[in-house]
Amino acid sequence: HVQLVESGGGSVQVGGSLRLSCVASVDTIGRYCMGWFRQAPGKERERVATILSAYSTTSYADSVKGRSTISQDNAKNTVYLQMNSLKPDDTAMYYCAADYTTLRKCPIDFTFWGQGTQVTVS
């Protein structure tokens, strides 16, 4: 069982920045596809960004492309989401997710989820 613990959320002004962190309780995070998702009240969950470090691939939702960067520190089993130029529409609960994969791409559905960290932009 993989445990994921997010941190770094908070309240920030429009145009500000935040860096979310997610620590994974796994032997090596490099064997997993890691992702960040978000869900705002009354809205569907959105896949924000994913990273598959084994193949150095990342993907971003159009809504955050150019403003956000997903990265990973395998030595610390930690994945980050740096978000800049934040907008009110970025307000949501942000979830870290992980899934073991031997493929060259991340899955559509992730198996393991964190509890979430709230981001509020006003």
Side-chain angles (χ1 to χ4, degrees), residues 17-97:
S17 299
L18 281 176
R19 188 177 80 158
L20 306 183
S21 301
C22 171
V23 180
S25 64
V26 296
D27 288 341
T28 170
I29 200 174
R31 297 179 181 176
Y32 290 78
C33 176
M34 304 298 298
W36 285 98
F37 292 73
R38 68 185 181 185
Q39 189 165 22
K43 295 186 178 180
E44 292 187 356
R45 187 174 64 196
E46 180 183 20
R47 183 179 175 127
V48 176
T50 62
I51 182 168
L52 187 54
S53 64
Y55 298 102
S56 301
T57 58
T58 58
S59 69
Y60 297 92
D62 288 343
S63 58
V64 304
K65 198 172 294 182
R67 301 188 294 120
S68 298
T69 303
I70 189 170
S71 60
Q72 189 165 302
D73 185 334
N74 289 353
K76 296 182 178 180
N77 275 355
T78 301
V79 62
Y80 304 97
L81 182 67
Q82 176 70 44
M83 300 189 295
N84 303 319
S85 302
L86 285 163
K87 307 174 182 179
D89 284 349
D90 295 316
T91 296
M93 184 69 79
Y94 283 71
Y95 298 92
C96 176

